[in-house]
Amino acid sequence: MGTDKEIELPPEMEQWKAKAESTFWGWVGCSFERVDERRIVVSLDVKPHHLNLIGILHGGVHATMIDSAMGLAAMIARPDVGVVTTHLNLNYVAPVGAGRIFVEAEIAHLSRKTVTTQARVRTEEGELLAFGTGTFRLLE
């Protein structure tokens, strides 16, 4: 996988990327990796401040990455309107304490008022760390 400097994002995604740098997304250290019309991949280099007291990636970082990636996927599906999370469901399946993680989010269902998404968090080696689903309301 490349870095966010090597990929070409659709015009609206370039704007979102620029805006995101000064938000919670940028503060956490998230990066764009790949994007297409139904899917986005984001990454994070796990740093010591991302860990909990037992030395593994904090569940809140997983939640942030999953929610953000799924929200971006929903925005890709409907770039003409804003979206907000109405439901977030997460499953943590394996710990990680260092390295780079990737979150791939995709559209599972799109209706007139909502977008349902799913996401998986993996290590560079492909090990599944967490997965989730989310529903986003379209703000028309």
Side-chain angles (χ1 to χ4, degrees), residues 62-134:
H62 280 289
T64 294
M65 296 285 297
I66 289 172
D67 183 40
S68 296
M70 290 190 305
L72 287 164
M75 291 169 70
I76 291 166
R78 287 293 307 273
D80 55 320
V81 298
V83 301
V84 293
T85 309
T86 60
H87 180 80
L88 182 63
N89 182 51
L90 304 175
N91 294 277
Y92 303 98
V93 296
V96 68
R100 192 167 205 189
I101 61 169
F102 297 89
V103 181
E104 181 173 345
E106 63 187 351
I107 303 300
H109 181 261
L110 177 62
S111 74
R112 196 170 50 89
K113 294 188 179 196
T114 63
V115 180
T116 304
T117 57
Q118 56 192 17
R120 289 173 185 75
V121 183
R122 297 187 186 275
T123 64
E124 284 187 284
E125 295 76 30
E127 179 185 5
L128 182 65
L129 303 173
F131 61 93
T133 58

Side-chain angles (χ1 to χ4, degrees), residues 9-27:
L9 299 171
E12 64 273 1
M13 291 298 290
E14 284 292 351
Q15 294 169 356
W16 296 335
K17 178 182 168 193
K19 279 176 116 174
E21 292 300 318
S22 64
T23 68
F24 186 63
W25 166 273
W27 184 80

